[in-house]
Amino acid sequence: MNSETISEFADWIYKNNKDVEKKSAKLDVEKVYKLIDDLAILRKPIKEYFDMTEEDYYQNESDHRLTLQNPTGKLSELHDRVQVNHVDGSLSGHDINFTYNHEDPYADGEYKVKTDIHLIEYAFTVIGAVYDNTIVSDVRNALSNDAVLSIGLSAKAIEEWQ
């Protein structure tokens, strides 16, 4: 994988997000899953997390950014998302700091696909820019597991919605 792959996909989402929202275009969720797996931040392929319980994930891999409130609930049912929204620090000094915020595509009780589409777009835009300008291990060491899982959860929710 290279940064162009990530950035090109983020650009596609940016250009087509309204069509995806109107269901006149489909988001290639398999591509999202592949990009996540290729980042190699999570220990397992992203699809293996969807049936995992919140408790299992919390105990074994979470960096505790997600709000996990149902220990026996499946991760695929989780509404909280951690969105990658900015990066700062020093690329040359190998001191990268991603910043995050919480999103909930179900905040008003009804699923809002726009929230998940934008979460994926923003994350890949930021990750792609950093990936292009530093070594891969810096990205892997700095990026939140919970944020990467959130990208996958967003893609899974969009896949079910489509």
Side-chain angles (χ1 to χ4, degrees), residues 19-44:
D19 290 333
V20 173
E21 287 176 47
K22 293 186 290 187
K23 293 189 175 184
S24 59
K26 277 193 163 190
L27 179 70
D28 185 349
V29 294
E30 290 301 322
K31 187 163 191 165
V32 175
Y33 299 151
K34 180 168 179 12
L35 289 172
I36 291 169
D37 291 343
D38 288 350
L39 285 170
I41 291 170
L42 299 173
R43 294 179 190 154
K44 303 175 187 179

Side-chain angles (χ1 to χ4, degrees), residues 17-144:
N17 65 44
K18 291 193 183 343
D19 290 333
V20 173
E21 287 176 47
K22 293 186 290 187
K23 293 189 175 184
S24 59
K26 277 193 163 190
L27 179 70
D28 185 349
V29 294
E30 290 301 322
K31 187 163 191 165
V32 175
Y33 299 151
K34 180 168 179 12
L35 289 172
I36 291 169
D37 291 343
D38 288 350
L39 285 170
I41 291 170
L42 299 173
R43 294 179 190 154
K44 303 175 187 179
I46 186 62
K47 289 182 178 182
E48 291 185 25
Y49 289 86
F50 300 145
D51 288 328
M52 184 182 289
T53 66
E54 288 184 17
E55 180 68 19
D56 189 30
Y57 177 73
Y58 181 84
Q59 294 296 327
N60 294 299
E61 197 162 352
S62 176
D63 53 28
H64 310 294
R65 292 182 190 275
L66 278 169
T67 304
L68 302 173
Q69 298 178 336
N70 183 4
T72 60
K74 291 183 180 181
L75 286 175
S76 62
E77 299 166 352
L78 183 64
H79 290 187
D80 187 33
R81 308 278 196 264
V82 174
Q83 178 180 325
V84 180
N85 63 6
H86 183 70
V87 66
D88 61 22
S90 168
L91 296 175
S92 62
H94 307 285
D95 183 25
I96 300 169
N97 302 302
F98 289 98
T99 58
Y100 309 94
N101 62 286
H102 286 267
E103 295 293 335
D104 181 353
Y106 302 87
D108 297 328
E110 184 178 315
Y111 180 64
K112 293 190 178 43
V113 70
K114 181 178 187 172
T115 302
D116 277 337
I117 292 168
H118 287 295
L119 183 140
I120 296 169
E121 174 197 336
Y122 297 155
F124 284 149
T125 298
V126 173
I127 294 166
V130 175
Y131 200 89
D132 190 34
N133 291 294
T134 192
I135 59 175
V136 175
S137 64
D138 285 351
V139 175
R140 289 180 180 147
N141 291 332
L143 194 56
S144 162

